Amino acid sequence: MVTVSADNGDMVIGVTDILSVRADQIRNEAIMWQPLLRSAVIKQHDYNVISVYDTMTRDQQMERLNVDGLNIVKTLINLSISICNEKVLQHVLVLVNDALKDHENIKYFEQIEKENVASGDLIGNETSAQKSGIKLSSWEPFLDLLNRPDEFIVNQSCLILAKVISLGKYRLEEKNLQWFVNWQSSQLLETNNYLHTVIASQQLMLRVPEYRMSFYQSTVLDKMLNVLSTRISFQLQYQIVFCLWLLSFRTTYCHKLLDFIKPTANILRQAMKEKVIRIIMQLYRNLLDNYTPPRKPAELMIQGKVHVVVGQLIEKNWKDEDIKEDVEHVRTILDIMLQDMSTFDSYLAEVKSGKLEWSPLHTNPAFWRENAQKLNQNDHEVLRMLRILLKEEKDPTTLAVCAHDVGEYVRHYPVGKYNIDKLGLKERVVCLLENDDPKVKSSALLALQKLMLNNWEFMAKTNA
């Protein structure tokens, strides 16, 4: 199994992430610090620190943090609080995030928090939060900045805040945590240019067990499901499923995660990137191992044709041996579940998947003799699903098999013709006579013969 530490806080952001691209531009823009000192926007001590630090290369800055990190971080936080100019504030936030790319530097934020507790004051700057009686912490300026109008400032602050409250020992208290999680949820829109960044912040936070319940109880999972069901990049697919995987280690959280089996199964069938396949298989493995009983996730995976896909994946040569282990594990459990499921259960699972294929379930007369009447169960649930497929599905094989099943139903349960008429299936089969695919036309014609004639076998041979 790949461990959580396989991705660090910056690797989870895609190379095309707009935040990273914009940060590179901002980092190279020169800032005039002297006028800010003269206008008393910044204090002399902070000017002395930033005017030198900002002229260094990134490597030099990392070395300087090793020597004077606490002082530099205090200055950066002071500037984040005192500066209103968007261009300058963007620059400061890039410097803060750069410092946190070495996770060891989180210790300076923790040290500030310890000083906070000891002295009851932060670092000398009185903000609106302090004036209102709210105790200010080393993370609070970044929480406040989420209310700013500038998109870069907001999203860079989001990522910084997630790092500060996740990478070290400090944990955000419940009230602010709920606010932050709800804010993140509001940003989970396919149209959000900074969606990579928001989900990257959630990846960081979900590594912290104490935060997971807040995410689970919020609307985050619903929003993720909506995004994952749309056409998004493989990087976003990976990031979202990574978040789901982090939740899947606990049975309590697995219940909502079942809703993600269908979209992830669709992704798995088309996935080309090994990292996407790996994280989906890890999610499935956890769901099968941690959901009690495993029959429900197994049924959903079988409906999504996961057992077919893993049968193909098992034959591939993987760079990562863990993938093969996960694929074999999932395949073993699904094979056991398939054996335990009745023949009709397997048929029902396939119909629910929305993709039908020619198999003994459809072509064996013994199956229909035994199970035709079961299509009437649950207020004709299967017949209603076949009607939807006949109306909406474009796949020729699925349409041909659907029409065939309608014919077999009435062949072995003649009084079922009334149900076929009542539910509108006959009309849908007739429409297939206009289909461009000759196999679909043929299957539809044969089904209609079964619907209208008792000696359909004689008519079928005559037409042949």
Side-chain angles (χ1 to χ4, degrees), residues 217-252:
Q217 293 178 336
S218 73
T219 59
V220 164
L221 289 178
D222 294 330
K223 296 292 190 68
M224 283 186 172
L225 182 60
N226 290 337
V227 173
L228 198 62
S229 300
T230 61
R231 294 178 62 86
I232 55 176
S233 68
F234 78 86
Q235 177 63 27
L236 279 173
Q237 291 173 346
Y238 171 79
Q239 288 181 246
I240 292 175
V241 179
F242 189 96
C243 291
L244 305 178
W245 172 61
L246 290 171
L247 285 171
S248 67
F249 287 91
R250 184 173 172 182
T251 300
T252 303

Side-chain angles (χ1 to χ4, degrees), residues 93-329:
L93 292 175
V94 169
L95 294 178
V96 176
N97 191 58
D98 285 349
L100 285 169
K101 287 182 178 179
D102 182 348
H103 294 177
E104 289 295 318
N105 292 329
I106 194 68
K107 62 188 177 186
Y108 302 124
F109 290 83
E110 293 178 331
Q111 182 60 38
I112 292 171
E113 196 63 32
K114 290 178 182 178
E115 292 180 2
N116 230 7
V117 173
S119 65
D121 186 27
L122 182 62
I123 42 183
N125 281 8
E126 187 178 42
T127 66
S128 59
Q130 287 173 309
K131 290 175 181 178
S132 63
I134 301 174
K135 181 176 173 60
L136 187 64
S137 183
S138 57
W139 49 265
E140 191 166 352
F142 310 109
L143 189 69
D144 290 343
L145 290 174
L146 297 179
N147 296 309
R148 293 290 289 261
D150 181 80
E151 284 188 334
F152 180 85
I153 290 174
V154 166
N155 286 280
Q156 185 68 90
S157 298
C158 169
L159 189 58
I160 291 170
L161 178 59
K163 290 180 178 181
V164 171
I165 65 174
S166 303
L167 297 177
K169 298 177 182 178
Y170 179 78
R171 298 292 176 256
L172 201 61
E173 70 275 11
E174 186 65 23
K175 181 180 179 180
N176 285 317
L177 174 62
Q178 290 292 346
W179 189 92
F180 188 28
V181 170
N182 289 336
W183 179 89
Q184 289 174 319
S185 181
S186 71
Q187 306 301 305
L188 289 175
L189 302 169
E190 186 189 4
T191 55
N192 183 359
N193 292 329
Y194 288 88
L195 188 56
H196 280 279
T197 303
V198 176
I199 299 176
S201 70
Q202 293 172 324
Q203 284 178 267
L204 287 163
M205 293 176 65
L206 283 168
R207 299 180 188 204
V208 181
E210 300 98 292
Y211 293 157
R212 292 174 187 167
M213 182 57 76
S214 293
F215 280 96
Y216 184 78
Q217 293 178 336
S218 73
T219 59
V220 164
L221 289 178
D222 294 330
K223 296 292 190 68
M224 283 186 172
L225 182 60
N226 290 337
V227 173
L228 198 62
S229 300
T230 61
R231 294 178 62 86
I232 55 176
S233 68
F234 78 86
Q235 177 63 27
L236 279 173
Q237 291 173 346
Y238 171 79
Q239 288 181 246
I240 292 175
V241 179
F242 189 96
C243 291
L244 305 178
W245 172 61
L246 290 171
L247 285 171
S248 67
F249 287 91
R250 184 173 172 182
T251 300
T252 303
Y253 304 140
C254 288
H255 292 277
K256 281 189 179 181
L257 299 185
L258 297 185
D259 293 336
F260 289 87
I261 291 178
K262 182 177 180 179
T264 52
N266 292 335
I267 292 170
L268 187 63
R269 285 197 295 269
Q270 304 172 36
M272 302 295 292
K273 293 292 183 178
E274 192 167 298
K275 63 187 285 185
V276 175
I277 295 171
R278 182 186 72 228
I279 198 65
I280 291 177
M281 295 312 301
Q282 289 178 323
L283 171 64
Y284 287 172
R285 180 172 186 165
N286 278 2
L287 289 177
L288 292 169
D289 289 349
N290 298 329
Y291 190 95
T292 305
R295 183 183 179 91
K296 182 62 175 177
E299 287 179 347
L300 292 171
M301 290 177 198
I302 291 168
Q303 290 173 23
K305 307 289 189 183
V306 172
H307 60 296
V308 177
V309 179
V310 295
Q312 299 165 349
L313 295 178
I314 203 73
E315 303 299 329
K316 291 191 176 184
N317 293 321
W318 300 101
K319 296 177 183 178
D320 186 349
E321 283 296 320
D322 289 329
I323 296 182
K324 187 172 183 180
E325 180 187 338
D326 290 333
V327 170
E328 289 175 344
H329 186 82

Side-chain angles (χ1 to χ4, degrees), residues 395-413:
D395 175 58
T397 301
T398 297
L399 290 174
V401 176
C402 272
H404 167 83
D405 287 3
V406 171
E408 288 297 278
Y409 167 69
V410 297
R411 176 192 171 195
H412 293 87
Y413 183 65

Side-chain angles (χ1 to χ4, degrees), residues 30-75:
I31 300 297
M32 304 298 292
W33 298 106
Q34 185 69 36
L36 295 173
L37 176 64
R38 286 199 300 267
S39 59
V41 173
I42 63 177
K43 295 182 178 180
Q44 182 67 53
H45 172 78
D46 294 329
Y47 170 78
N48 294 341
V49 174
I50 194 64
S51 59
V52 175
Y53 184 75
D54 195 30
T55 61
M56 297 177 177
T57 66
R58 292 180 70 181
D59 288 341
Q60 290 172 333
Q61 288 175 349
M62 292 300 105
E63 292 176 3
R64 186 60 185 166
L65 283 165
N66 290 332
V67 176
D68 194 26
L70 181 60
N71 195 33
I72 292 169
V73 169
K74 284 184 176 182
T75 288

